[in-house]
Amino acid sequence: MGQKQLMQAALAGLALAVTGLPAALPAQNLTVLQGSVQEPIDVPLNRAVVVESDVPFTELSIANPGIADISSLSDRTIYVLGKAPGRTTLTLLGADGQLISNVEVRVTPDVAEFKERLEQILPGQGVEVRTANDGIVLSGTVDSIQDLDRALELANRYAPDRVSNLMTVGGTQQVMLQVRFAEMNRTVTKSLSSSLGIQGTTLGGDLGVSAGTGALNDGTTLGGAFGGNLPAGGTNTAGVLLGFNAGGLEVGLLLEALEQRGVVRTLAEPNLTALSGQTASFLAGGEYPIPVAQGDGTISVEFKPFGVELNFVPRVVDGDLINIEMQAAVSSIDTANGISQSGLNIAAFRRRESSTTVEMRDGESFAIAGLLQDDFRDLNGQVPWLGDVPVLGALFRSASYQRAQSELVIIVTPHLVTPTRGEALALPTDRVRPPSERDLFLFGRVAASQAPTTGGAGEVARQDFSGSYGYVMD
């Protein structure tokens, strides 16, 4: 056989081998064996349960030994110990290697002991305890925020950071804070000053004298004073000018006295309502513009609030016991202590504030008092040496006396409140209606003569106040 025939025979054999191979290998089918259907096994954390199988098994395995530990007590009995919260799978195999069952093992916190402790701490409360995944779910209704906090704190002992709170607090959880601010300012100012002036010339007119103290140190003003007018320099409310002539010599004496008394009262009575744990604020006053220089040389304006300010956070602790965190302040504009810069006048502020936290029951009151301020100032001015002369030295002295006292009292009363129907409430404007043309032009009435008959104002108008009413204090 020649070489050409051998090459042809080899190519024919290779072609037959290629055509004899299958086009593709068939895919292998995989079947997941479930075994017999079993209920999940619930195992408390750090506790053990014993599970019995209906058929004998020869091999056991646990998917995650960190969650549960297993051991066989016999060919039908299994000991399962919960080690960590979570879920894993327990597998049982028979003698022939066939799968008997895959059982889900759930390790949960020990709620049995938790329920016992919860009943001891909060007896009679409707708290329901459930497990979810690896945590505890609390639901139901408790009487107060304090009971809710106790239940959550106890649950965190058994499942740290894995507690779901679905509990609600029963009872009234809205607090109205009735606050009364009373500030009294008293000022007293007294002053007594004297001025002496002497003016004269010699007979020849070659020698003249002009001397004085206080407002009479100006010879031109002294001449006008002798004409019956007080010197322009006098600033006090009362003055007496005495003078006499001795030839060409004029002597003038001015006595000035001042006494001022002032009383200022500031009063505010805000009533604020807030949900337990929420913040309520109040401001009776205004906002004062203050210029602020910026880095680029421009000036912006910021507004600073002043007046009576109140911020409080109520918390219903237990029943009618209320915890109140309160901040109160009274401020006012003080122009006397302001500054002037670049043509801008910026006033100062007088501010007194208080911050406290108290607990009291519904209707009880507490007072923040003792916020006293007493400013005293006196000034004595005199001519050196002459003011020290007995009796006559009073003509060369001036004295002033100023005293300012202020006192702030804050009285706070909390109340538990519930909403009511809107038609049962009346506003101060409900009983005042615009007058008709007949009432205005014919009878001169600035409000309608007919009282309202509907709404809260109508309800008040229908009440009979012919007898005694109001508050009675024994």
Side-chain angles (χ1 to χ4, degrees), residues 76-126:
R76 292 177 180 266
T77 309
I78 309 169
Y79 180 85
V80 183
L81 173 64
K83 298 174 61 177
R87 296 187 178 190
T88 186
T89 303
L90 173 63
T91 303
L92 287 75
L93 299 177
D96 54 355
Q98 295 296 322
L99 177 66
I100 298 176
S101 178
N102 281 325
V103 184
E104 181 182 3
V105 179
R106 299 183 299 194
V107 179
T108 59
D110 188 6
V111 296
E113 182 182 359
F114 171 64
K115 291 180 179 179
E116 295 177 1
R117 298 294 181 264
L118 188 63
E119 184 62 26
Q120 294 173 359
I121 296 176
L122 302 176
Q125 298 284 355

Side-chain angles (χ1 to χ4, degrees), residues 365-383:
S365 300
F366 78 95
I368 302 176
L371 301 178
L372 303 175
Q373 184 175 355
D374 193 348
D375 297 332
F376 175 79
R377 177 186 178 187
D378 61 351
L379 179 64
N380 188 10
Q382 66 179 19
V383 178

Side-chain angles (χ1 to χ4, degrees), residues 381-452:
Q382 66 179 19
V383 178
W385 302 297
L386 296 180
D388 296 329
V389 177
V391 182
L392 295 179
L395 300 178
F396 301 92
R397 288 196 302 265
S398 297
S400 63
Y401 162 86
Q402 295 180 356
R403 187 172 186 179
Q405 293 178 320
S406 62
E407 181 178 3
L408 175 63
V409 178
I410 304 173
I411 300 177
V412 179
T413 306
H415 297 280
L416 294 174
V417 295
T418 55
T420 185
R421 295 180 297 107
E423 57 270 15
L425 302 177
L427 295 174
T429 56
D430 290 344
R431 286 181 283 179
V432 179
R433 295 183 177 180
S436 62
E437 295 182 355
R438 176 176 174 272
D439 291 335
L440 180 62
F441 296 109
L442 187 59
F443 299 101
R445 296 169 180 166
V446 295
S449 59
Q450 184 178 3

Side-chain angles (χ1 to χ4, degrees), residues 246-474:
L249 183 66
E250 296 180 352
V251 178
L253 176 64
L254 175 64
L255 298 178
E256 292 181 291
L258 169 67
E259 181 176 1
Q260 293 180 343
R261 298 177 182 269
V263 176
V264 179
R265 186 187 76 167
T266 302
L267 181 65
E269 296 187 5
N271 294 330
L272 299 178
T273 302
L275 191 64
S276 177
Q278 301 299 317
T279 303
S281 59
F282 167 83
L283 173 63
E287 291 186 343
Y288 182 78
I290 298 178
V292 178
Q294 303 296 323
D296 56 355
T298 60
I299 296 178
S300 62
V301 177
E302 294 183 359
F303 290 88
K304 180 179 180 61
F306 68 91
V308 178
E309 302 176 60
L310 173 65
N311 296 280
F312 82 100
V313 180
R315 294 181 179 89
V316 181
V317 180
D318 188 8
D320 60 347
L321 184 62
I322 306 171
N323 176 285
I324 301 175
E325 181 181 348
M326 188 186 72
Q327 294 179 348
V330 176
S331 58
S332 60
I333 299 176
D334 185 7
T335 57
N337 297 322
I339 61 174
S340 297
Q341 187 174 6
S342 302
L344 297 175
N345 296 324
I346 304 175
F349 285 85
R350 298 172 60 92
R351 181 179 178 88
R352 281 178 291 173
E353 60 183 15
S354 174
S355 177
T356 183
T357 301
V358 296
E359 282 188 356
M360 65 186 66
R361 298 195 178 275
D362 182 12
E364 296 180 343
S365 300
F366 78 95
I368 302 176
L371 301 178
L372 303 175
Q373 184 175 355
D374 193 348
D375 297 332
F376 175 79
R377 177 186 178 187
D378 61 351
L379 179 64
N380 188 10
Q382 66 179 19
V383 178
W385 302 297
L386 296 180
D388 296 329
V389 177
V391 182
L392 295 179
L395 300 178
F396 301 92
R397 288 196 302 265
S398 297
S400 63
Y401 162 86
Q402 295 180 356
R403 187 172 186 179
Q405 293 178 320
S406 62
E407 181 178 3
L408 175 63
V409 178
I410 304 173
I411 300 177
V412 179
T413 306
H415 297 280
L416 294 174
V417 295
T418 55
T420 185
R421 295 180 297 107
E423 57 270 15
L425 302 177
L427 295 174
T429 56
D430 290 344
R431 286 181 283 179
V432 179
R433 295 183 177 180
S436 62
E437 295 182 355
R438 176 176 174 272
D439 291 335
L440 180 62
F441 296 109
L442 187 59
F443 299 101
R445 296 169 180 166
V446 295
S449 59
Q450 184 178 3
T453 58
T454 60
E459 179 66 23
V460 175
R462 288 191 294 270
Q463 295 177 4
D464 183 12
F465 294 109
S466 59
S468 300
Y469 62 93
Y471 295 94
V472 178
M473 301 182 63
D474 295 333

Side-chain angles (χ1 to χ4, degrees), residues 36 38 50-57 60 74-78 92 100-101:
S36 60
Q38 300 291 335
V50 177
V51 181
E52 186 175 0
S53 175
D54 294 338
V55 297
F57 57 86
L60 292 175
S74 67
D75 60 350
R76 292 177 180 266
T77 309
I78 309 169
L92 287 75
I100 298 176
S101 178

Side-chain angles (χ1 to χ4, degrees), residues 170-191:
T172 303
Q173 296 298 310
Q174 294 185 130
V175 180
M176 183 188 72
L177 198 66
Q178 182 181 2
V179 185
R180 286 180 289 173
F181 292 85
E183 183 181 23
M184 184 67 69
N185 295 326
R186 297 179 294 270
T187 59
V188 177
T189 302
K190 296 181 181 180
S191 65

Side-chain angles (χ1 to χ4, degrees), residues 117-181:
R117 298 294 181 264
L118 188 63
E119 184 62 26
Q120 294 173 359
I121 296 176
L122 302 176
Q125 298 284 355
V127 180
E128 299 179 0
V129 181
R130 297 181 179 88
T131 59
N133 198 2
D134 58 347
I136 295 178
V137 179
L138 300 180
S139 60
T141 303
V142 293
D143 294 338
S144 63
I145 294 291
Q146 187 176 13
D147 293 340
L148 185 144
D149 293 338
R150 290 174 179 174
L152 292 178
E153 183 178 359
L154 181 61
N156 277 301
R157 295 283 185 177
Y158 291 86
D161 301 327
R162 298 190 306 274
V163 179
S164 299
N165 177 25
L166 301 181
M167 294 183 294
T168 59
V169 180
T172 303
Q173 296 298 310
Q174 294 185 130
V175 180
M176 183 188 72
L177 198 66
Q178 182 181 2
V179 185
R180 286 180 289 173
F181 292 85

